[in-house]
Amino acid sequence: MIDYSILVKSPLFNGISEEECMTLCSKIHYQVRKFEKDAIVVQGGEEVTNLFVVLSGSVRGEMIDYSGKTVKIEDIEAPRPLAAAFLFGKENKFPVTVTANKKSELLAIPVVEFLKLLQLNTRLLRNYLNNISTRAQFLSQKLHFLSFKTIKEKVAHFLLQQAGDRFHSFELKNTQQQLAELFGVTRPSLARVLGEMQSENLIKIEKKTVTLLDKEGLNSLLENG
Amino acid sequence: MIDYSILVKSPLFNGISEEECMTLCSKIHYQVRKFEKDAIVVQGGEEVTNLFVVLSGSVRGEMIDYSGKTVKIEDIEAPRPLAAAFLFGKENKFPVTVTANKKSELLAIPVVEFLKLLQLNTRLLRNYLNNISTRAQFLSQKLHFLSFKTIKEKVAHFLLQQAGDRFHSFELKNTQQQLAELFGVTRPSLARVLGEMQSENLIKIEKKTVTLLDKEGLNSLLENG
DNA sequence: ATCATTTTGTAACAATTGATACATTTTGCC
DNA sequence: GGCAAAATGTATCAATTGTTACAAAATGAT
């Protein structure tokens, strides 16, 4: 029924042997559901009562906006789990409608059964906790970024974070375009701010190398926020 | 040692009886640590190896900025847990330095022991998962909000979300000030936009009652983002 | 009912950012 | 080295939002 060699490659079951995985699954109720191309797996807004793991094929998340148009969000290929972050919590509803890209098989484990699994296997529990925690931490960090009002503040925070306790000089690994997207601003605006910060002798940029000339000054940009 | 009547009031142990709680704790290793006023509980950047629950007194989170100044973040009173969201995940380090506001007692449970607890008691597991999931969902929603560029878009999204499929009229439960903070804008700016949207006959506001006059119009504000 | 406090409406001006366009520099490839 | 493509620097103007200030309205307590 289940191809365990695929399942153990999923982030959730990572580090668990195929045998163990099989034993675990034998102890709970689950379903393997098959979907034809373009079949709807779950409707957005529906309550999340199952953990889904894509066993074969691929599905896509689509958000339906208020006017009825669909906007593609992301593809999920085997063996990734689906909406794992929405199994619990106050608003455990699917944020998106999920549709099969092609003929696909999905493992569906009811929440109560998944809870049993988590209590049976420490590695699985750790995997799941790490998964949603990492996600939360990512969101938290991204939010922290956006909490800075001006582009200057965002840049200052980014540079200080990148530099850390290391040297005052380091290599930029992103283009201005990529940084602009990270900050949620336009590329010329970012360039303008970088220029201003150079003429204020806060930083110096040569090709891809950034030098922090005045860490104190960069700090003070953040404090007065 | 532990005052279980307090512990069961914490969000983590909510719904678990004092007896059960006592039995659970007897099965694991833990410490009750006492801190004098202004003693440092944990240093920011330190790895999170324990789950802390404030049993008595209160502690405060303080962030140390790049120049060394401390900024108070929040107070945590008994019986709330500490940094519960940072127990797992890639970056499981304390984001803040935690200091005792007054003489306080904290329960410290090592991560591995806490994992045991989670596997022993389903209610505790559910509580914890709900706790961090709700947090992640809150962050996710907040992030979604900030992804809208203009205030009008944010307001339109908020109103359509609040209304849902229900009537076109509903009660606002927040003040403009609170909404402004949710959107990350200033209060006068929000008021101005609300005024504009009224004169454009998109919405009508009477005291705390909002009526959506033109859902289509509100939608179109979002699509052109 | 009245008064103090909070909330809301509104206005004028400043500051920041976006949009667009174009020149210049850098990069990668042949 | 030379060329095309990508990345960057820069300028101008428009649009949005913040800032500050004050008056009107609503709320809540005595």
Side-chain angles (χ1 to χ4, degrees):
Chain A
M1 205 66 155
I2 303 180
D3 183 344
Y4 291 101
S5 69
I6 287 188
L7 192 55
V8 294
K9 282 181 190 134
S10 115
L12 279 179
F13 291 89
N14 188 292
I16 303 177
S17 71
E18 288 188 35
E19 296 75 31
E20 206 171 348
C21 201
M22 204 181 304
T23 313
L24 280 172
C25 289
S26 72
K27 292 183 179 159
I28 59 158
H29 297 292
Y30 63 85
Q31 291 183 325
V32 176
R33 299 190 193 164
K34 298 182 184 190
F35 296 90
E36 295 299 319
K37 179 169 157 61
D38 294 330
I40 291 181
V41 178
V42 286
Q43 210 40 270
E46 213 172 276
E47 200 177 335
V48 181
T49 55
N50 289 272
L51 170 71
F52 288 98
V53 182
V54 181
L55 292 175
S56 71
S58 100
V59 300
R60 63 178 181 274
E62 283 175 340
M63 194 173 267
I64 295 183
D65 65 17
Y66 297 98
S67 66
K69 265 199 289 187
T70 64
V71 186
K72 179 173 160 186
I73 304 293
E74 65 167 338
D75 277 323
I76 299 178
E77 316 266 346
R80 280 186 49 204
L82 204 62
F86 293 91
L87 266 183
F88 302 96
K90 284 183 187 165
E91 281 294 319
N92 53 340
K93 308 197 172 168
F94 277 98
V96 295
T97 295
V98 178
T99 312
N101 278 326
K102 47 189 171 187
K103 205 169 178 176
S104 303
E105 282 185 328
L106 275 78
L107 171 65
I109 306 177
V111 173
V112 285
E113 299 296 315
F114 184 60
L115 274 171
K116 284 187 200 164
L117 278 191
L118 292 179
Q119 297 193 299
L120 283 170
N121 187 286
T122 307
R123 180 63 192 249
L124 180 62
L125 178 58
R126 265 208 125 99
N127 282 348
Y128 184 67
L129 289 174
N130 278 333
N131 187 307
I132 58 179
S133 294
T134 299
R135 183 186 145 85
Q137 285 159 17
F138 169 78
L139 289 174
S140 179
Q141 202 194 5
K142 179 109 187 174
L143 204 53
H144 190 199
F145 247 122
L146 294 177
S147 76
F148 293 112
K149 284 182 192 128
T150 67
I151 301 181
K152 234 173 205 169
E153 283 169 10
K154 291 177 190 182
V155 172
H157 177 254
F158 175 79
L159 293 178
L160 286 168
Q161 184 185 268
Q162 289 286 312
D165 295 329
R166 298 174 239 157
F167 313 100
H168 294 235
S169 244
F170 58 94
E171 295 286 310
L172 267 186
K173 286 173 187 166
N174 313 297
T175 66
Q176 287 190 6
Q177 181 59 54
Q178 291 172 324
L179 288 181
E181 280 166 15
L182 175 64
F183 298 160
V185 301
T186 60
R187 205 267 314 160
S189 292
L190 174 61
R192 169 170 46 201
V193 167
L194 288 176
E196 283 171 14
M197 290 174 86
Q198 286 193 82
S199 54
E200 288 166 12
N201 287 320
L202 290 170
I203 60 176
K204 193 171 66 178
I205 301 182
E206 288 161 313
K207 309 224 174 159
K208 288 287 186 186
T209 304
V210 183
T211 307
L212 307 189
L213 299 176
D214 183 2
K215 274 201 173 183
E216 286 297 318
L218 291 171
N219 282 322
S220 65
L221 287 178
L222 299 182
E223 289 165 33
N224 313 329
Chain B
M1 206 65 156
I2 302 180
D3 183 344
Y4 292 100
S5 68
I6 287 187
L7 192 55
V8 294
K9 283 182 189 130
S10 116
L12 280 179
F13 291 90
N14 188 293
I16 302 177
S17 71
E18 288 187 37
E19 296 75 30
E20 206 171 346
C21 202
M22 205 180 304
T23 313
L24 280 172
C25 291
S26 74
K27 291 182 181 160
I28 60 158
H29 298 291
Y30 62 85
Q31 290 183 325
V32 176
R33 298 191 194 163
K34 299 183 182 189
F35 296 90
E36 296 299 320
K37 178 169 157 61
D38 294 328
I40 291 182
V41 178
V42 285
Q43 200 60 256
E46 213 171 277
E47 201 176 335
V48 181
T49 55
N50 290 272
L51 170 72
F52 288 99
V53 181
V54 182
L55 292 175
S56 71
S58 101
V59 300
R60 64 178 180 274
E62 284 174 339
M63 193 174 267
I64 295 182
D65 65 17
Y66 297 99
S67 67
K69 265 201 282 187
T70 65
V71 186
K72 178 173 160 186
I73 304 293
E74 64 169 342
D75 276 324
I76 300 178
E77 316 266 343
R80 281 186 48 204
L82 205 61
F86 293 91
L87 265 182
F88 303 97
K90 283 182 188 167
E91 280 295 317
N92 54 340
K93 310 201 169 162
F94 278 98
V96 295
T97 295
V98 178
T99 313
N101 279 324
K102 48 189 171 188
K103 206 170 179 177
S104 304
E105 282 186 327
L106 275 78
L107 172 63
I109 306 177
V111 172
V112 284
E113 299 297 314
F114 183 61
L115 274 172
K116 285 187 201 164
L117 277 191
L118 291 179
Q119 297 194 301
L120 283 171
N121 186 286
T122 308
R123 180 63 192 249
L124 180 62
L125 177 58
R126 266 208 125 97
N127 283 347
Y128 183 67
L129 288 174
N130 279 331
N131 188 307
I132 57 180
S133 294
T134 299
R135 183 186 146 85
Q137 284 159 18
F138 169 78
L139 290 174
S140 177
Q141 201 195 7
K142 179 109 187 176
L143 205 53
H144 189 200
F145 253 120
L146 293 177
S147 75
F148 293 113
K149 283 183 194 131
T150 68
I151 301 181
K152 235 173 203 166
E153 284 169 10
K154 293 177 189 182
V155 172
H157 177 256
F158 176 79
L159 293 177
L160 287 167
Q161 184 185 267
Q162 289 287 310
D165 295 330
R166 298 174 239 160
F167 313 100
H168 294 234
S169 242
F170 58 93
E171 295 285 310
L172 268 186
K173 286 172 187 166
N174 312 299
T175 67
Q176 286 190 5
Q177 180 58 55
Q178 292 171 324
L179 289 182
E181 279 165 16
L182 175 63
F183 299 160
V185 302
T186 60
R187 207 264 316 157
S189 293
L190 174 61
R192 171 170 45 201
V193 166
L194 288 176
E196 284 171 13
M197 291 174 87
Q198 285 192 83
S199 55
E200 289 166 11
N201 286 319
L202 289 170
I203 60 176
K204 194 172 66 177
I205 302 181
E206 290 161 311
K207 308 216 176 170
K208 288 288 185 184
T209 304
V210 183
T211 307
L212 307 190
L213 300 176
D214 182 2
K215 274 200 174 185
E216 286 299 316
L218 291 172
N219 281 324
S220 66
L221 286 177
L222 298 183
E223 288 166 35
N224 314 330

